[in-house]
Amino acid sequence: MSALWSVGAGLLLLLLWVRHRGLEAVLVHHRWVFVCFFLLPLSILFDIYYQLRAWAVWRLHSAPRQHAQRVRHIQEQVREWKKEGSKRYMCTGRPGWLTVSLRVGKYKKTHKNIMINLMDVLEVDSERQVVRVEPLVSMGQLTAYLNPMGWTIPVVPELDDLTVGGLIMGTGIESSSHIYGLFQHTCVAYELVLADGSLVRCSPTENSDLFYAVPWSCGTLGFLVAAEIKMVPAKKYVKIHYKPVRGLQKICEKFTEESKKKENSFVEGLMYSLDEAVIMTGVLTDEAEQSKINRIGNYYKPWFFKHVEKYLKADRTGVEYIPSRHYYHRHTRSIFWELQDIIPFGNNPVFRYLFGWMVPPKISLLKLTQGEAIRKLYEQHHVVQDMLVPMKSLEKSIQTFHVDLNVYPIWLCPFILPNNPGMVHPKGNEAELYVDIGAYGEPKSKQFEARASMRQMEKFVRSVHGFQMLYADCYMTREEFWDMFDGSLYHKLREEMNCKDAFPEVYDKICKAARH
């Protein structure tokens, strides 16, 4: 009873302090208070609900039976929109705050919302080595489902809450992408409900134009209702090598060299300054030296990027065996390194051991509760950007990131970009090695100004024939946007499938210049 009185008294004092300081001031300057006391417990409840739901669906085998009925309901909504006169654009009815993108989808308030409740794994075909899933299946959900069966997917983008639909309609990448390409390149078929309410399946051999146009289209060609993704055999561990490298030129040379080696199952780089990095290479294995196993995903373990930094500070190489699922989601607990700005003491051993099991807070809940003041603060003083540039431009690109942003750590992730039709492909006729440069945090560059600095970055990326991930803030004009992306196939299909009255153009949906 005395413990309950203590908790009650503590909460009362907290509420009095919040009232004294003002809720907005606390949310802006002491956000950790709100996150730790409210969002972390709420995130746990969210996780419990979705895990119980997924378990119940699996036990009852209800997903395949209900899928057809749910798709018919989507078709009915689209046909109803047509009967109403097609007066507004359509979009998914999923609330904008539930998406991982930091962008606020204001169009949800003005467009016709089509409710799409599709969040289940439908079928695992071991013979074809393909898993068929609905678009709202998350990466955490999918790996938890497949791994006990001895399977995984070739590209598992980092964060648990990233969905299959978001990774197809936007994009996704992982440290295995130097072998398999982007997430879209591991998909073998899509099923969509089109603007006329019809259901169509597309693959490289069936409705191939639509198959290649869907990735990066952000839901502006139709509603994704299912996807088929390649599977590969899962192994127990990732044997990971940590190698500190100093000097920008040496970093780029070593990273490029390792990225070209197909014997590396995974390649990743973390840059802690302009001339300091740790290059990591991993190999899948079922055998491990017991003394070198590191279960980095356990809640009390140091955040992965901090763990990696120890090798740089000690200036030593190292080898560890990380359980595969821990490796796939190694940046989830710290949301890469974004959580250190929200909970500054989050990596403290005391906090990890006592409260680490509740981390991370749901990104969707962070968005929902951020308020206008925090949103504007983040917009002006914070960057979350992924730029995809040719590997041959890596050194010049990092220098540009340093001058314009000066944000560290920087994430380096290589990927092979095949010469497929669609919005994103190499400039030449052959597949080319690219690299994702991810900058997340508060820029330290003295001349940083959100709009001007990002427009300068976008101009540079266009100049090297690179691409900007569309989940982030984009400041390009329409002409600049279609200079970066190849819109020929996309616009052709928009015309042929009567999308112009049904869905906004992808530029109008994601670019700031179109929304202001």
Side-chain angles (χ1 to χ4, degrees):
M1 186 63 70
S2 59
L4 287 176
W5 277 109
S6 298
V7 171
L11 286 174
L12 179 61
L13 289 172
L14 174 64
L15 290 172
L16 290 172
W17 178 72
V18 169
R19 184 177 179 183
H20 170 70
R21 293 297 306 270
L23 181 59
E24 185 172 296
V26 170
L27 289 177
V28 172
H29 302 293
H30 305 280
R31 200 176 184 202
W32 64 268
V33 174
F34 185 71
V35 170
C36 290
F37 285 94
F38 297 99
L39 294 195
L40 287 180
L42 198 56
S43 296
I44 292 294
L45 294 177
F46 260 61
D47 280 336
I48 290 172
Y49 166 75
Y50 283 112
Q51 287 170 9
L52 287 175
R53 185 195 175 282
W55 179 83
V57 167
W58 174 71
R59 291 292 295 175
L60 298 172
H61 303 286
S62 62
R65 294 197 304 272
Q66 294 182 357
H67 177 72
Q69 179 182 338
R70 289 168 178 164
V71 170
R72 282 195 295 272
H73 178 58
I74 294 167
Q75 291 177 283
E76 288 167 6
Q77 292 178 76
V78 173
R79 289 171 185 144
E80 184 65 29
W81 164 82
K82 289 188 72 178
K83 285 180 187 176
E84 293 171 353
S86 311
K87 295 175 183 177
R88 296 182 290 163
Y89 288 138
M90 290 184 289
C91 67
T92 63
R94 191 185 188 208
W97 60 269
L98 273 175
T99 64
V100 172
S101 169
L102 297 181
R103 186 170 52 248
V104 178
K106 295 180 180 179
Y107 59 85
K108 298 276 186 182
K109 296 178 181 178
T110 57
H111 294 183
K112 169 73 172 178
N113 281 216
I114 304 298
M115 301 310 297
I116 298 179
N117 183 29
L118 300 170
M119 56 180 69
D120 296 315
V121 178
L122 298 173
E123 179 186 3
V124 175
D125 189 333
S126 298
E127 286 189 17
R128 290 176 59 217
Q129 295 194 14
V130 166
V131 57
R132 182 167 171 255
V133 299
E134 292 179 330
L136 294 180
V137 167
S138 70
M139 288 299 98
Q141 177 187 352
L142 186 54
T143 55
Y145 190 96
L146 291 178
N147 287 172
M149 299 180 186
W151 294 103
T152 187
I153 55 176
V155 175
V156 185
E158 292 292 341
L159 304 179
D160 279 12
D161 291 340
L162 292 169
T163 63
V164 167
L167 295 167
I168 291 169
M169 290 297 185
T171 194
I173 193 170
E174 175 46 58
S175 54
S176 57
S177 289
H178 66 297
I179 299 173
Y180 299 104
L182 298 171
F183 186 84
Q184 70 204 54
H185 301 127
T186 68
C187 298
V188 296
Y190 309 127
E191 296 168 39
L192 295 102
V193 171
L194 303 183
D196 61 0
S198 63
L199 175 65
V200 65
R201 183 180 187 273
C202 56
S203 71
T205 57
E206 178 185 6
N207 298 308
S208 59
D209 277 358
L210 181 58
F211 177 78
Y212 289 116
V214 163
W216 296 73
S217 66
C218 296
T220 60
L221 292 173
F223 295 110
L224 184 70
V225 294
E228 294 177 24
I229 310 167
K230 294 176 189 174
M231 298 190 304
V232 293
K235 294 194 175 182
K236 292 181 182 178
Y237 300 100
V238 175
K239 182 181 181 182
I240 188 166
H241 291 256
Y242 303 91
K243 181 170 180 57
V245 186
R246 286 179 166 78
L248 181 57
Q249 186 178 350
K250 287 184 178 179
I251 291 168
C252 295
E253 287 174 355
K254 182 64 176 175
F255 185 76
T256 303
E257 175 192 334
E258 297 295 347
S259 300
K260 291 178 179 178
K261 295 178 181 177
K262 293 296 189 285
E263 59 266 33
N264 288 328
S265 305
F266 306 97
V267 179
E268 174 184 29
L270 292 183
M271 293 195 66
Y272 293 90
S273 71
L274 182 61
D275 58 1
E276 292 182 312
V278 178
I279 309 297
M280 288 161 279
T281 57
V283 178
L284 286 163
T285 178
D286 282 323
E287 305 296 328
E289 297 177 46
Q290 291 299 311
S291 62
K292 294 183 178 179
I293 293 176
N294 185 359
R295 303 182 187 281
I296 195 69
N298 289 351
Y299 71 88
Y300 52 83
K301 288 283 189 173
W303 290 345
F304 185 69
F305 78 99
K306 287 294 188 184
H307 171 66
V308 173
E309 191 177 19
K310 291 178 182 176
Y311 289 95
L312 181 68
K313 289 181 175 178
D315 196 24
R316 65 180 178 88
T317 59
V319 175
E320 287 184 330
Y321 294 82
I322 299 178
S324 295
R325 195 158 183 271
H326 289 220
Y327 177 82
Y328 288 135
H329 302 289
R330 63 198 178 282
H331 291 301
T332 293
R333 285 191 301 122
S334 56
I335 318 178
F336 280 86
W337 30 93
E338 288 278 58
L339 198 57
Q340 66 181 351
D341 291 334
I342 299 170
I343 308 177
F345 45 83
N347 194 49
N348 183 283
V350 175
F351 181 86
R352 291 201 314 267
Y353 274 90
L354 293 178
F355 306 107
W357 56 276
M358 293 194 289
V359 168
K362 291 286 184 189
I363 295 175
S364 53
L365 294 179
L366 289 171
K367 279 178 66 178
L368 179 65
T369 58
Q370 68 181 357
E372 192 64 19
I374 293 177
R375 190 187 68 77
K376 287 182 177 178
L377 194 69
Y378 263 62
E379 190 175 293
Q380 293 302 318
H381 304 287
H382 199 88
V383 295
V384 180
Q385 291 283 348
D386 284 86
M387 298 294 189
L388 315 181
V389 298
M391 186 67 79
K392 62 190 177 188
S393 303
L394 177 58
E395 185 173 347
K396 188 177 179 182
S397 300
I398 292 173
Q399 289 171 336
T400 301
F401 267 68
H402 179 78
V403 171
D404 291 343
L405 302 180
N406 194 8
V407 171
Y408 292 98
I410 282 178
W411 191 51
L412 301 179
C413 185
F415 68 99
I416 192 73
L417 184 61
N419 186 33
N420 293 340
M423 285 176 60
V424 172
H425 55 75
K427 192 171 185 178
N429 296 322
E430 309 225 340
E432 185 175 350
L433 192 60
Y434 270 62
V435 56
D436 174 7
I437 304 178
Y440 325 118
E442 184 180 344
K444 301 295 191 294
S445 175
K446 291 181 180 178
Q447 67 264 33
F448 178 80
E449 191 279 315
R451 186 179 182 278
S453 298
M454 285 318 307
R455 278 190 54 75
Q456 195 165 310
M457 288 288 303
E458 290 164 349
K459 182 180 179 181
F460 168 78
V461 172
R462 288 196 305 274
S463 74
V464 297
H465 198 74
F467 309 95
Q468 180 180 26
M469 280 198 187
L470 301 184
Y471 77 89
D473 285 335
C474 175
Y475 294 85
M476 289 182 281
T477 65
R478 193 180 304 273
E479 184 180 357
E480 290 166 344
F481 183 85
W482 291 117
D483 181 43
M484 177 180 284
F485 297 97
D486 182 354
S488 54
L489 181 60
Y490 172 79
H491 290 303
K492 174 193 164 193
L493 288 177
R494 291 259 302 169
E495 192 74 43
E496 289 178 359
M497 300 192 308
N498 299 314
C499 292
K500 290 189 173 181
D501 294 327
F503 307 105
E505 186 184 293
V506 61
Y507 174 81
D508 295 307
K509 196 170 181 180
I510 63 103
C511 284
K512 279 186 169 290
R515 294 182 283 116
H516 286 275

